[in-house]
PDB file of all heavy atoms in Angstrom:
ATOM      1  N   MET A  25      62.268 -49.519  48.546  1.00 39.00           N
ATOM      2  CA  MET A  25      61.993 -48.240  49.140  1.00 39.00           C
ATOM      3  C   MET A  25      61.608 -48.447  50.596  1.00 39.00           C
ATOM      4  O   MET A  25      60.923 -49.389  50.927  1.00 39.00           O
ATOM      5  CB  MET A  25      60.846 -47.570  48.385  1.00 39.00           C
ATOM      6  CG  MET A  25      61.184 -46.206  47.912  1.00 39.00           C
ATOM      7  SD  MET A  25      59.865 -45.481  46.932  1.00 39.00           S
ATOM      8  CE  MET A  25      60.424 -45.928  45.319  1.00 39.00           C
ATOM      9  N   ARG A  33      57.226 -38.545  49.268  1.00 92.00           N
ATOM     10  CA  ARG A  33      58.661 -38.790  49.159  1.00 92.00           C
ATOM     11  C   ARG A  33      58.918 -40.051  48.342  1.00 92.00           C
ATOM     12  O   ARG A  33      59.804 -40.092  47.501  1.00 92.00           O
ATOM     13  CB  ARG A  33      59.323 -38.901  50.524  1.00 92.00           C
ATOM     14  CG  ARG A  33      60.839 -39.158  50.370  1.00 92.00           C
ATOM     15  CD  ARG A  33      61.594 -39.044  51.618  1.00 92.00           C
ATOM     16  NE  ARG A  33      61.628 -37.638  52.019  1.00 92.00           N
ATOM     17  CZ  ARG A  33      62.348 -37.195  53.025  1.00 92.00           C
ATOM     18  NH1 ARG A  33      63.084 -38.024  53.729  1.00 92.00           N
ATOM     19  NH2 ARG A  33      62.350 -35.929  53.352  1.00 92.00           N
ATOM     20  N   ALA A  35      57.010 -41.182  46.051  1.00 90.00           N
ATOM     21  CA  ALA A  35      56.693 -40.823  44.667  1.00 90.00           C
ATOM     22  C   ALA A  35      57.847 -40.065  44.021  1.00 90.00           C
ATOM     23  O   ALA A  35      58.192 -40.308  42.864  1.00 90.00           O
ATOM     24  CB  ALA A  35      55.415 -39.997  44.616  1.00 90.00           C
ATOM     25  N   ALA A  39      59.884 -41.299  40.841  1.00 93.00           N
ATOM     26  CA  ALA A  39      60.013 -40.435  39.665  1.00 93.00           C
ATOM     27  C   ALA A  39      61.484 -40.212  39.326  1.00 93.00           C
ATOM     28  O   ALA A  39      61.871 -40.251  38.153  1.00 93.00           O
ATOM     29  CB  ALA A  39      59.306 -39.102  39.907  1.00 93.00           C
ATOM     30  N   GLN A  41      63.982 -42.214  39.899  1.00 90.00           N
ATOM     31  CA  GLN A  41      64.506 -43.449  39.306  1.00 90.00           C
ATOM     32  C   GLN A  41      64.071 -43.598  37.851  1.00 90.00           C
ATOM     33  O   GLN A  41      64.871 -43.969  36.987  1.00 90.00           O
ATOM     34  CB  GLN A  41      64.063 -44.654  40.128  1.00 90.00           C
ATOM     35  CG  GLN A  41      64.704 -44.697  41.494  1.00 90.00           C
ATOM     36  CD  GLN A  41      64.056 -45.703  42.432  1.00 90.00           C
ATOM     37  OE1 GLN A  41      63.079 -46.345  42.113  1.00 90.00           O
ATOM     38  NE2 GLN A  41      64.620 -45.819  43.631  1.00 90.00           N
ATOM     39  N   GLU A  50      66.008 -44.048  24.540  1.00 71.00           N
ATOM     40  CA  GLU A  50      65.529 -43.101  23.539  1.00 71.00           C
ATOM     41  C   GLU A  50      64.211 -42.465  23.952  1.00 71.00           C
ATOM     42  O   GLU A  50      63.929 -41.323  23.634  1.00 71.00           O
ATOM     43  CB  GLU A  50      65.383 -43.790  22.181  1.00 71.00           C
ATOM     44  CG  GLU A  50      66.725 -44.095  21.538  1.00 71.00           C
ATOM     45  CD  GLU A  50      66.570 -44.674  20.152  1.00 71.00           C
ATOM     46  OE1 GLU A  50      65.583 -44.371  19.463  1.00 71.00           O
ATOM     47  OE2 GLU A  50      67.458 -45.446  19.769  1.00 71.00           O
ATOM     48  N   ASN A  68      51.885 -48.039  46.838  1.00 67.00           N
ATOM     49  CA  ASN A  68      50.430 -47.912  46.850  1.00 67.00           C
ATOM     50  C   ASN A  68      49.963 -47.020  45.705  1.00 67.00           C
ATOM     51  O   ASN A  68      50.767 -46.379  45.035  1.00 67.00           O
ATOM     52  CB  ASN A  68      49.942 -47.400  48.213  1.00 67.00           C
ATOM     53  CG  ASN A  68      50.464 -46.004  48.495  1.00 67.00           C
ATOM     54  OD1 ASN A  68      50.449 -45.134  47.640  1.00 67.00           O
ATOM     55  ND2 ASN A  68      50.943 -45.791  49.706  1.00 67.00           N
ATOM     56  N   VAL A  73      50.242 -42.662  41.535  1.00 88.00           N
ATOM     57  CA  VAL A  73      49.593 -41.550  40.841  1.00 88.00           C
ATOM     58  C   VAL A  73      50.461 -40.293  40.903  1.00 88.00           C
ATOM     59  O   VAL A  73      50.637 -39.590  39.897  1.00 88.00           O
ATOM     60  CB  VAL A  73      48.181 -41.282  41.430  1.00 88.00           C
ATOM     61  CG1 VAL A  73      47.607 -39.963  40.937  1.00 88.00           C
ATOM     62  CG2 VAL A  73      47.251 -42.435  41.102  1.00 88.00           C
ATOM     63  N   LYS A  86      59.683 -30.233  29.900  1.00 96.00           N
ATOM     64  CA  LYS A  86      61.140 -30.324  30.031  1.00 96.00           C
ATOM     65  C   LYS A  86      61.865 -29.090  29.483  1.00 96.00           C
ATOM     66  O   LYS A  86      62.806 -28.600  30.110  1.00 96.00           O
ATOM     67  CB  LYS A  86      61.653 -31.588  29.339  1.00 96.00           C
ATOM     68  CG  LYS A  86      63.099 -31.890  29.623  1.00 96.00           C
ATOM     69  CD  LYS A  86      63.487 -33.229  29.042  1.00 96.00           C
ATOM     70  CE  LYS A  86      64.921 -33.558  29.351  1.00 96.00           C
ATOM     71  NZ  LYS A  86      65.306 -34.852  28.792  1.00 96.00           N
ATOM     72  N   SER A  95      68.953 -20.961  33.648  1.00 96.00           N
ATOM     73  CA  SER A  95      69.050 -19.530  33.929  1.00 96.00           C
ATOM     74  C   SER A  95      69.334 -19.232  35.404  1.00 96.00           C
ATOM     75  O   SER A  95      69.728 -18.115  35.740  1.00 96.00           O
ATOM     76  CB  SER A  95      67.774 -18.805  33.478  1.00 96.00           C
ATOM     77  OG  SER A  95      66.673 -19.181  34.263  1.00 96.00           O
ATOM     78  N   MET A 107      73.639 -36.412  36.362  1.00 95.00           N
ATOM     79  CA  MET A 107      72.282 -36.779  35.940  1.00 95.00           C
ATOM     80  C   MET A 107      71.311 -36.851  37.118  1.00 95.00           C
ATOM     81  O   MET A 107      70.155 -36.459  37.004  1.00 95.00           O
ATOM     82  CB  MET A 107      72.281 -38.122  35.220  1.00 95.00           C
ATOM     83  CG  MET A 107      72.963 -38.100  33.896  1.00 95.00           C
ATOM     84  SD  MET A 107      71.946 -37.291  32.684  1.00 95.00           S
ATOM     85  CE  MET A 107      72.978 -37.494  31.270  1.00 95.00           C
ATOM     86  N   ILE A 120      57.540 -26.514  41.703  1.00 97.00           N
ATOM     87  CA  ILE A 120      57.498 -25.078  41.992  1.00 97.00           C
ATOM     88  C   ILE A 120      56.721 -24.322  40.913  1.00 97.00           C
ATOM     89  O   ILE A 120      55.865 -23.489  41.216  1.00 97.00           O
ATOM     90  CB  ILE A 120      58.922 -24.499  42.132  1.00 97.00           C
ATOM     91  CG1 ILE A 120      59.602 -25.053  43.391  1.00 97.00           C
ATOM     92  CG2 ILE A 120      58.900 -22.971  42.156  1.00 97.00           C
ATOM     93  CD1 ILE A 120      61.101 -24.796  43.464  1.00 97.00           C
ATOM     94  N   PRO A 129      56.090 -24.819  47.746  1.00 95.00           N
ATOM     95  CA  PRO A 129      57.423 -24.800  47.136  1.00 95.00           C
ATOM     96  C   PRO A 129      58.566 -25.066  48.116  1.00 95.00           C
ATOM     97  O   PRO A 129      59.523 -25.756  47.779  1.00 95.00           O
ATOM     98  CB  PRO A 129      57.513 -23.398  46.531  1.00 95.00           C
ATOM     99  CG  PRO A 129      56.097 -23.060  46.210  1.00 95.00           C
ATOM    100  CD  PRO A 129      55.302 -23.657  47.345  1.00 95.00           C
ATOM    101  N   PHE A 151      74.210 -27.214  46.261  1.00 95.00           N
ATOM    102  CA  PHE A 151      74.015 -26.680  44.916  1.00 95.00           C
ATOM    103  C   PHE A 151      72.529 -26.678  44.562  1.00 95.00           C
ATOM    104  O   PHE A 151      71.981 -25.672  44.096  1.00 95.00           O
ATOM    105  CB  PHE A 151      74.823 -27.514  43.909  1.00 95.00           C
ATOM    106  CG  PHE A 151      74.527 -27.203  42.477  1.00 95.00           C
ATOM    107  CD1 PHE A 151      74.958 -26.015  41.905  1.00 95.00           C
ATOM    108  CD2 PHE A 151      73.830 -28.107  41.682  1.00 95.00           C
ATOM    109  CE1 PHE A 151      74.688 -25.727  40.579  1.00 95.00           C
ATOM    110  CE2 PHE A 151      73.571 -27.835  40.349  1.00 95.00           C
ATOM    111  CZ  PHE A 151      73.988 -26.631  39.799  1.00 95.00           C
TER     112      PHE A 151
END
Side-chain angles (χ1 to χ4, degrees):
M25 234 176 266
R33 180 170 290 187
Q41 292 167 356
E50 288 185 29
N68 63 44
V73 168
K86 190 173 181 180
S95 68
M107 292 285 182
I120 292 167
F151 170 72

